[in-house]
Amino acid sequence: MKIIDLLRDYFPKKKILESVDIEDICMDSREVKKGSLFFAIKGGNNHVEEAIKNDAALVVYDSEELLITDEKSIFTEDTISFMQKLAKDYRKSNKTKVVAITGSNGKTTTKDMVYSVLSQRFRTKKTQGNHNNHIGLPYTILKAQPEDEVLVLEMGMSGFGEIDLLCNVALPDYGIITNIGESHLEYLKSKENVFKAKGELLKYVHSENTIIFGDDYYLRNIPGTKVGYGNENTFKISEFIENDRGAEFKLAGKSYRIPINGEHNVINASFAVVLGLKMGLSLSEIEKGLEEVELTPMRFQKIEKGEKLYINDAYNANPTSMKLAIETFDKLYNKRACKIIVLGDMLELGEKSGEYHKNIKDYLIRSKAEYIFLYGREMKNLWSVCREDKRVYYFKDKDSISEKIESIKEKSVILLKGSRGMKLEEIIK
């Protein structure tokens, strides 16, 4: 069923719905074109008339202060709630299979790998950018076409009830929980609560279609297909090796290769393998999907700038992901003359944030890096326990880090790791 058909059911007396069709969905009035369905969210209400002038097919708004009489307009008490209802009904009306992915680390990389694998067989769409919340998820569903066979949805959250809401809209057929880490401790206070919040997915997906990281303390005892390095897993990862070009591993006795480094990314790839097998893909299709994966930027992304190679892993950070990034970086590029680690604040860690930052010292002191640069208010905590290490420097601004890196004339490789709010990519000139 098309979106316009649902709207006709919602508003049977609205005559214009008989003659219009919807070609596109948008939330930014600057992107409106002929045939767009424009959702005015918050400040978007100020641009309803602009959207109509730009030939939108329909506009949905919720500002009672506006007196829009144009027949293309639809007033609702809450645009976001309306969009969620429409997305749920649209999802229910079509045969598209939905894959839901949540967890503290690795959601986006897993999403990219699952998408690449399933695209070898099915017409597949995925969450774009950071559209993984109560607005972005219904938006992603509505952007899909009725003929799409699979929709891979990333589900983010910061508190209780959010995954439940997203699942209630998306009604997933398959679910993946990557791990339970320290993300969102500012709001949820403990990893047990993070597990409860992420676990809201479980009541929506049958255990046969649930794939989880079986080595995780909080996930290992829940029903589902378990993936990991331990012997107790349904699918055991073995023979992991890596070099500057990527990683290789075996899963259930079959060899696979991915163009990205890290034992944690092998876990993410394994989720994609297992889901591919569950959905009937051949081994050759799965292999091809992994080898051809295009990752969302800032996930161990390699950027060459003259004699400098930047490893941009600065989309997000928490203690677990920072540890993994440092350990992975330590194994690689050791033939290059100079290795530099740049760390920015890990945000949203709550009351123990200072302690979590200080604990990074345990990984840094073992690092082979010649230079370690720290930036951000929270990183002062790490600096306070590392300042006697002559490799470690603290900077008040990113321009100074850029200048310091440029002053190192030898060939260098630089790891950037920090939370999204720190924008460490701005160091790359």
Side-chain angles (χ1 to χ4, degrees):
M1 182 178 285
K2 293 183 178 181
I3 293 172
I4 190 63
D5 296 323
L6 289 170
L7 292 174
R8 287 167 183 158
D9 289 342
Y10 289 178
F11 306 103
K13 296 182 179 180
K14 198 168 181 65
K15 293 295 183 183
I16 193 172
L17 297 179
E18 299 174 4
S19 58
V20 300
D21 204 357
I22 295 170
E23 304 293 336
D24 184 42
I25 307 295
C26 64
M27 298 183 291
D28 187 335
S29 61
R30 294 168 295 184
E31 298 176 359
V32 170
K33 56 190 177 185
K34 185 176 181 179
S36 293
L37 169 56
F38 172 64
F39 289 97
I41 296 173
K42 297 179 181 178
N45 283 288
N46 299 323
H47 302 281
V48 170
E49 292 182 346
E50 175 189 344
I52 293 172
K53 288 179 182 178
N54 289 337
D55 212 11
L58 295 165
V59 295
V60 179
Y61 71 102
D62 58 9
S63 173
E64 295 181 354
E65 298 177 1
L66 294 177
L67 298 174
I68 306 297
T69 57
D70 193 287
E71 59 181 354
K72 291 183 175 181
S73 66
I74 297 174
F75 174 77
T76 180
E77 291 184 1
D78 187 307
T79 301
I80 295 173
S81 296
F82 181 89
M83 184 164 65
Q84 291 168 350
K85 172 179 167 49
L86 181 62
K88 180 176 181 177
D89 289 344
Y90 183 56
R91 184 264 180 276
K92 288 166 64 177
S93 71
N94 297 313
K95 296 181 180 180
T96 308
K97 296 293 184 184
V98 172
V99 179
I101 301 172
T102 192
S104 296
N105 303 305
K107 293 187 296 296
T108 302
T109 301
T110 300
K111 173 199 70 179
D112 291 337
M113 290 178 169
V114 166
Y115 169 80
S116 186
V117 167
L118 297 185
S119 294
Q120 304 301 316
R121 172 75 65 89
F122 304 109
R123 175 167 169 154
T124 308
K125 296 284 178 63
K126 67 176 179 177
T127 301
Q128 296 294 324
N130 61 351
H131 286 151
N132 65 0
N133 64 5
H134 65 297
I135 298 173
L137 180 134
Y139 175 74
T140 300
I141 293 173
L142 292 171
K143 293 278 281 186
Q145 300 299 317
E147 57 268 28
D148 289 332
E149 297 172 283
V150 181
L151 194 55
V152 183
L153 298 177
E154 180 179 333
M155 293 186 175
M157 64 95 204
S158 58
F160 292 119
E162 295 179 30
I163 296 296
D164 184 76
L165 185 153
L166 299 181
C167 287
N168 187 48
V169 173
L171 303 173
D173 301 284
Y174 298 88
I176 297 174
I177 305 179
T178 60
N179 56 19
I180 303 299
E182 302 87 356
S183 298
H184 311 303
L185 288 181
E186 181 178 357
Y187 309 103
L188 290 170
K189 306 303 180 185
S190 70
K191 289 175 73 170
E192 288 82 1
N193 285 339
V194 174
F195 167 61
K196 290 177 183 177
K198 299 290 186 183
E200 291 169 2
L201 169 71
L202 298 172
K203 72 178 183 180
Y204 288 90
V205 182
H206 193 281
S207 60
E208 290 182 4
N209 292 337
T210 302
I211 305 169
I212 55 179
F213 179 37
D215 297 342
D216 188 286
Y217 173 82
Y218 295 93
L219 299 175
R220 62 190 180 187
N221 292 322
I222 66 173
T225 301
K226 297 178 176 64
V227 177
Y229 293 94
N231 292 326
E232 301 78 13
N233 287 290
T234 320
F235 287 84
K236 180 184 176 182
I237 303 167
S238 62
E239 298 185 33
F240 164 77
I241 58 172
E242 65 182 334
N243 55 38
D244 294 359
R245 296 183 301 278
E248 296 179 13
F249 64 100
K250 279 190 175 180
L251 189 71
K254 171 66 180 173
S255 297
Y256 299 94
R257 184 186 178 281
I258 55 173
I260 185 174
N261 296 101
E263 293 182 57
H264 54 299
N265 284 316
V266 165
I267 297 167
N268 299 334
S270 298
F271 293 140
V273 173
V274 173
L275 182 58
L277 293 172
K278 284 182 177 291
M279 296 185 69
L281 272 70
S282 67
L283 292 176
S284 60
E285 287 173 321
I286 293 170
E287 284 182 83
K288 190 168 185 286
L290 290 181
E291 291 174 357
E292 295 180 351
V293 64
E294 294 183 8
L295 296 173
T296 301
M298 293 188 275
R299 273 81 173 178
F300 235 76
Q301 179 187 14
K302 300 172 186 177
I303 302 171
E304 293 267 8
K305 292 288 184 180
E307 291 293 298
K308 312 295 183 188
L309 171 63
Y310 289 88
I311 308 300
N312 185 3
D313 198 37
Y315 182 80
N316 219 333
N318 57 47
T320 299
S321 66
M322 190 162 280
K323 167 186 177 289
L324 293 170
I326 293 169
E327 290 179 343
T328 299
F329 184 64
D330 206 41
K331 298 174 186 175
L332 305 171
Y333 307 106
N334 290 315
K335 293 182 181 179
R336 286 187 177 249
C338 183
K339 293 178 74 173
I340 303 167
I341 293 176
V342 182
L343 302 181
D345 289 352
M346 301 178 289
L347 304 177
E348 298 183 0
L349 292 181
E351 298 172 354
K352 294 185 178 180
S353 180
E355 179 182 337
Y356 283 124
H357 282 80
K358 288 179 181 178
N359 289 344
I360 300 298
K361 175 187 176 181
D362 296 337
Y363 316 123
L364 284 184
I365 59 176
R366 297 193 294 267
S367 170
K368 298 175 183 176
E370 282 85 358
Y371 295 95
I372 299 167
F373 300 155
L374 308 179
Y375 164 71
R377 183 176 63 184
E378 293 296 325
M379 275 297 161
K380 284 184 179 179
N381 294 290
L382 178 56
W383 167 240
S384 71
V385 296
C386 286
R387 59 196 313 162
E388 292 182 4
D389 187 331
K390 296 189 183 206
R391 300 175 301 160
V392 183
Y393 299 74
Y394 178 81
F395 293 85
K396 294 182 179 179
D397 60 81
K398 286 173 280 190
D399 285 340
S400 298
I401 298 177
S402 298
E403 291 169 8
K404 179 65 176 177
I405 291 172
E406 290 302 315
S407 72
I408 299 169
K409 299 305 180 185
E410 55 193 310
K411 196 171 185 180
S412 305
V413 58
I414 305 104
L415 171 68
L416 304 178
K417 185 65 179 176
S419 285
R420 181 81 295 274
M422 303 308 292
K423 299 183 180 179
L424 291 187
E425 71 277 6
E426 294 176 352
I427 288 169
I428 306 173
K429 298 296 184 182

